[in-house]
Amino acid sequence: MKTNVFAYLLMGLIAMSCGSKKSELKDGPTTGTISLGVDESFQRIVEAEKVAFQEYYHYANIKLQFKPENEAIADLLNDKVRGVVVTRELTDAEREVFEREKIVYRSFKFAADGITLLVHPSNKDTLIGLDQLKALLAGKQKSWKSIGSSRSGDVELVVDKANSSNIKFLVDLFGLGNSGLAVSAAGSNKDVIEYVKSHPNALGIIGSNWISDGDNPTSLGFIRSVNVMSVAKESSLPKAEFYQPFGYNLALKKYPLRREVKLILKESHQGLGTGFVNYVTGDMGQLIVLKSGLIPLTRPITIRQYQISQ
């Protein structure tokens, strides 16, 4: 009898132990609540993915925190979010934090977009080379005439935030320091568009997904209120070598300011973060990427050329 009692107690302790382990895993691939940090440039695309995912999985709740890229990654390192949507991989110093704490992270590329340059609708000089853009950012050139434009006055370079992924991409591309850049911060990608609409000498810098969804009335309203610049690797190239940050040019990597969007996930179990990644990189998630005017990176796309007769 004593043996039976002891056996029951042992079985009860094992059951309680198993139950406590299960309770620690409060989310699964399609259930639970997690937070993701999202670079503000990708607010529209990630919101669209989240809405579609949660409409399909009703017990999933993904909280999105929009902030500059470096702040989002800092939150990931400090365990404030489960994952981040950004444009860069972790630095050596950031990876060391995970390695020191023996935490596994995974990185998934799921879309390509571009840095878009906007000007006022009255500005018809919409061609710019990377050499000219670098000179403007570094403060070596200031006026429109200095970059070959017929427009008078100085160029007003405007970004969303001083530490956003948009300006960091250009700083890294051109090898510029973070200090002394000839730019002003408007506050958000939307604010940049609004500023360009009302300032004839402005040159705005945003992520292309804000104006690339042709089915979205907001995107259509934005793109109709500004002019999108065409960019070439060198200002001396012929006009045919200048490209805009949309579909065909992004897919074939012709646009010089193309970048890739990735989701970095810190999750040791098959949780809601994994489920969301599987959705975003799967067929439905990649269709949302394509519909938003970005380029899917995990599913093949077909490019067709048509001859249009006048």
Side-chain angles (χ1 to χ4, degrees):
M1 185 69 179
K2 290 181 179 179
T3 303
N4 290 338
V5 171
F6 178 76
Y8 289 143
L9 287 172
L10 183 62
M11 292 173 62
L13 289 171
I14 293 173
M16 289 173 63
S17 175
C18 293
S20 65
K21 287 181 180 178
K22 288 182 180 179
S23 65
E24 290 175 3
L25 303 180
K26 297 180 180 179
D27 61 278
T30 60
T31 60
T33 300
I34 63 170
S35 295
L36 295 179
V38 181
D39 183 271
E40 295 164 324
S41 298
F42 307 109
Q43 178 177 342
R44 299 174 65 82
I45 177 65
V46 179
E47 281 182 338
E49 296 281 9
K50 170 195 168 179
V51 168
F53 180 76
Q54 292 186 171
E55 283 183 355
Y56 198 77
Y57 300 109
H58 300 295
Y59 297 102
N61 179 25
I62 298 176
K63 298 179 179 179
L64 303 179
Q65 301 177 12
F66 302 106
K67 54 185 59 182
E69 184 174 75
N70 285 344
E71 292 182 22
I73 291 178
D75 285 348
L76 180 69
L77 296 175
N78 292 319
D79 208 27
K80 294 181 179 179
V81 294
R82 184 75 62 84
V84 292
V85 177
V86 293
T87 62
R88 67 172 178 87
E89 293 291 351
L90 300 180
T91 64
D92 291 341
E94 291 163 348
R95 283 195 294 270
E96 285 178 5
V97 174
F98 287 104
E99 293 170 1
R100 185 168 59 248
E101 299 179 4
K102 297 182 180 180
I103 298 174
V104 177
Y105 77 92
R106 293 170 288 164
S107 178
F108 306 86
K109 297 178 181 178
F110 69 92
D113 86 328
I115 297 294
T116 297
L117 307 179
L118 308 175
V119 292
H120 191 269
S122 67
N123 191 342
K124 306 305 179 184
D125 295 314
T126 58
L127 302 181
I128 190 170
L130 292 185
D131 53 322
Q132 294 171 323
L133 179 60
K134 179 180 179 180
L136 289 172
L137 287 168
K140 294 181 179 179
Q141 301 291 352
K142 296 182 179 181
S143 68
W144 283 102
K145 291 187 182 297
S146 69
I147 60 170
S149 172
S150 60
R151 198 171 192 82
S152 60
D154 288 344
V155 180
E156 298 179 57
L157 284 172
V158 186
V159 298
D160 49 343
K161 291 185 177 179
N163 57 348
S164 74
S165 65
N166 294 333
I167 190 62
K168 189 178 187 308
F169 176 87
L170 297 176
V171 166
D172 292 343
L173 176 67
F174 297 134
L176 303 173
N178 288 322
S179 60
L181 295 177
V183 297
S184 300
S188 69
N189 284 264
K190 182 180 178 181
D191 291 335
V192 172
I193 299 171
E194 295 298 332
Y195 187 90
V196 172
K197 284 166 56 177
S198 58
H199 291 76
N201 281 335
L203 193 164
I205 301 169
I206 66 168
S208 65
N209 74 102
W210 279 85
I211 58 171
S212 57
D213 187 349
D215 294 328
N216 187 295
T218 303
S219 289
L220 286 173
F222 284 154
I223 198 169
R224 288 170 179 168
S225 63
V226 294
N227 284 339
V228 178
M229 300 195 82
S230 299
V231 183
K233 293 181 179 179
E234 293 287 342
S235 57
S236 59
L237 291 172
K239 188 175 181 180
E241 296 296 318
F242 287 76
Y243 301 98
Q244 290 198 323
F246 302 118
Y248 178 85
N249 297 328
L250 291 174
L252 296 184
K253 300 182 179 181
K254 290 179 175 291
Y255 186 64
L257 299 178
R258 179 185 184 272
R259 61 183 178 177
E260 294 180 342
V261 189
K262 57 203 68 180
L263 202 161
I264 300 176
L265 184 65
K266 182 171 71 172
E267 188 171 78
S268 59
H269 66 288
Q270 294 290 311
L272 187 53
T274 301
F276 187 61
V277 165
N278 290 339
Y279 183 85
V280 170
T281 58
D283 290 338
M284 292 304 298
Q286 292 291 281
L287 281 174
I288 293 173
V289 170
L290 187 61
K291 179 186 175 297
S292 299
L294 278 67
I295 300 303
L297 293 182
T298 66
R299 291 294 185 271
I301 60 173
T302 301
I303 299 174
R304 296 187 177 92
Q305 292 184 339
Y306 294 93
Q307 184 69 35
I308 301 175
S309 58
Q310 299 292 336

